[in-house]
């Protein structure tokens, strides 16, 4: 958000401008438990190595407050520049929840209603007098996505306008009847952003600045739709197949408007996530609207609220969204009832951000282990030492674990040490037994565990294999 930052600085006295600049460089937070910090370090560096991610910048919230920020790896390659918490990354579609919040704020001001037809504000859209603002914010409108591809196409390297996007994609026949399906569509949020501007009389970034960024102290926010990130921020990278990392091309202006335009530090995104937990910016009824998963006309759950995914994660309420623009991938996970959030921003088109966030979240929210998980972990740890409790085994499995097999388990699994996570992924019945599958995650690899158990609890199978 370069122009917004410049306007603030221009209006401040010299002393305040200096203080403002200082605040941008004081985004390192470290009040987390050292043992947990060490585990996060291990998760981040391991996943980055596995996926070839140049850098990852992380923020962690516990008990509703930001407790940790840290950056790993290189923000720029050749010449190498280490990543720091002060560097900004594009957050892609995580921006959508800010657009949704802007709509909710306008509803609070009495200037629109979620169930208004979009045609009331933007004429000429396909069935615009039937499709509601709520449906565009929940991806149930039927408007076709203008950017489903995971790469930057040649036409998108040139500037466009929001109106061009709507003329091209939101005036086509709908992909489905409104409200009958859930289908992710960036077009929806271009519509929403244009409604914000028309109703408020302000540019979207100005409205967000006044009502969200300023009140929360989010001073690093940058409009990466209008301008490329600066040399002091992270550099975006792409890779073709298994080739080398190369600097990513930049989208033309206005292609990301309202759907993925924001860049910021993890620290400042954490300030927003803190506000989601404390519900400090919107009214309670607005948060209820935002966090309620939309039901389709047939009653099915879309698992999406307004600008954000709403799910249950092992019984915990999870508000989540990932983001991807060319050369950047981001992940934001918020567990509001637990006061926990994990943010991971990366500068490469790989899956590392979500993996780091998920594994870290598992640790932070303290998922309770079931009795089968506890037993599987205990047996696995014994096998890492070449031991087995044969009282747990049915005859066939006891025979399987002969001297050589125990030695192979010990020599191959023992050096791996303690897993980052060990969790059950499925359970089914087969052959008169219960089959359970487990995922074992290490920093640089994943393993799968397959167990068959008889009704009396005796184990017929305990096989460990590479998961990748």
């Amino acid at each position: 958000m370069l122009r917004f930052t410049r306007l603030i600085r221009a209006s401040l006295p010299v002393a305040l401008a200096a203080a403002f600049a200082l605040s941008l460089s004081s985004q390192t937070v470290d009040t987390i438990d050292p043992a947990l910090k060490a585990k996060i370090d291990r998760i981040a560096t391991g996943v980055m190595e596995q996926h070839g991610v140049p850098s990852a910048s992380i923020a962690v919230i516990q008990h509703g407050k930001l407790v940790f920020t840290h950056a790993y790896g290189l923000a720029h390659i050749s010449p190498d520049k280490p990543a720091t918490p002060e560097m900004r990354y594009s957050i892609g579609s995580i921006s959508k929840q800010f657009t949704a919040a802007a709509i909710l704020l306008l509803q609070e001001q009495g200037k629109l209603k979620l169930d208004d037809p979009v045609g009331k504000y933007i004429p000429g859209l396909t069935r615009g007098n039937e499709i509601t603002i709520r449906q565009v914010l929940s991806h149930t409108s039927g408007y076709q996505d203008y950017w489903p591809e995971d790469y930057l196409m040649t036409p998108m390297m040139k500037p466009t306008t929001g109106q061009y996007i709507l003329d091209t994609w939101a005036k086509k026949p709908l992909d489905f009847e409104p409200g009958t399906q859930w289908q992710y569509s960036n077009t929806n949020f271009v519509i929403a952003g244009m409604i914000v501007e028309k109703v408020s009389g302000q540019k979207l970034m100005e409205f967000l600045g006044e009502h969200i960024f300023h009140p929360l102290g989010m001073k690093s926010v940058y409009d990466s739709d209008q301008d490329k990130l600066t040399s002091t921020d992270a550099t975006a990278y792409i890779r073709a197949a298994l080739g080398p990392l190369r600097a990513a091309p930049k989208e033309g202006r206005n292609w990301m408007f309202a759907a993925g335009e924001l860049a910021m530090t993890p620290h400042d995104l954490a300030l927003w996530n803190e506000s989601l937990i404390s519900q400090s910016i919107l009214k309670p009824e607005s948060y209820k609207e935002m966090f309620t998963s939309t039901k389709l006309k047939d009653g099915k759950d879309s698992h999406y609220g307004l600008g954000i995914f709403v799910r249950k994660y092992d019984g915990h309420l999870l508000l989540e969204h990932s983001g991807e623009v060319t050369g950047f991938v981001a992940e934001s996970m918020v567990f509001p009832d637990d006061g926990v959030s994990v943010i991971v921003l990366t500068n490469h088109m790989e899956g590392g951000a979500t993996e780091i966030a998920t594994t870290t979240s598992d640790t932070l929210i303290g998922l309770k282990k079931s009795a089968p998980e506890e037993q599987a972990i205990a047996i696995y740890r014994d096998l890492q030492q070449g031991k087995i409790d044969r009282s747990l085994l049915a005859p066939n499995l006891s025979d399987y674990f002969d001297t050589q097999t125990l030695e192979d388990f010990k020599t191959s699994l023992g050096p791996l040490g303690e897993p980052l996570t060990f969790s059950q992924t499925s359970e089914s019945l087969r052959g008169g037994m219960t089959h359970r599958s487990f995922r074992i995650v290490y920093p640089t690899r994943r393993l799968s565990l397959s167990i068959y158990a008889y009704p009396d609890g005796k184990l017929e199978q305990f096989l460990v294999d590479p998961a990748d």
Side-chain angles (χ1 to χ4, degrees), residues 108-289:
E108 291 177 5
Q109 296 170 7
K111 296 180 178 179
L112 56 71
K113 294 180 181 178
L114 283 173
D115 293 317
D116 284 344
V118 294
K120 180 177 179 179
Y121 306 100
I122 303 177
L125 304 184
T126 301
R127 296 174 65 176
N129 292 330
E130 302 171 49
I131 295 169
T132 66
I133 298 173
R134 185 187 302 275
Q135 288 172 327
V136 299
L137 293 181
S138 61
H139 295 300
T140 58
S141 66
Y143 288 122
Q144 190 174 102
D145 189 4
Y146 70 87
W147 193 6
E149 297 88 351
D150 291 318
Y151 68 99
L152 184 61
M153 298 81 71
T154 302
M156 291 183 66
M157 295 181 188
K158 298 178 181 179
T160 189
T161 64
Q163 190 61 52
Y164 172 81
I165 292 172
L166 299 193
D167 288 344
T168 307
W169 282 275
K171 295 183 179 179
K172 300 173 68 171
L174 300 179
D175 281 355
F176 53 85
E177 282 295 304
T180 63
Q181 294 185 42
W182 183 90
Q183 189 179 113
Y184 195 84
S185 174
N186 290 289
T187 307
N188 287 317
F189 278 78
V190 174
I191 295 170
M194 291 180 68
I195 290 174
V196 171
E197 294 195 338
K198 186 163 187 177
V199 172
S200 70
Q202 295 177 280
K203 291 294 186 182
L204 176 62
M205 292 298 293
E206 293 172 359
F207 184 88
L208 292 174
E210 179 182 342
H211 295 280
I212 296 177
F213 304 148
H214 283 181
L216 292 177
M218 298 171 63
K219 297 176 181 177
S220 72
V221 179
Y222 188 92
D223 187 353
S224 59
D225 183 40
Q226 294 300 305
D227 294 286
K228 186 176 181 179
L229 284 170
T230 72
S231 60
T232 60
D233 298 311
T235 299
Y237 289 97
I238 58 173
R239 174 184 281 124
L242 302 180
L245 290 173
R246 301 189 187 280
K250 177 72 176 72
E251 304 88 355
R253 288 183 175 180
N254 301 314
W255 281 105
M256 298 188 295
F257 167 71
E261 77 280 17
L262 300 179
M264 63 188 72
T265 63
H267 174 284
D268 282 5
L269 184 52
L271 297 180
W272 165 250
N273 285 0
E274 282 184 358
S275 78
L276 296 182
I277 294 170
S278 65
Q279 300 194 2
S280 61
I281 289 291
L282 307 177
K283 294 179 179 178
E285 53 267 32
S286 293
Y287 284 110
K288 184 177 180 181
E289 297 270 21

Side-chain angles (χ1 to χ4, degrees), residues 70 79 92 153 155 162 238 252 266 272 291 295 321 352 375 412 449 458 466:
H70 194 76
M153 298 81 71
I238 58 173
W272 165 250
F291 300 162
K295 296 293 192 297
H321 218 296
Q375 182 190 60
S412 63
L449 168 61
K458 294 284 187 179

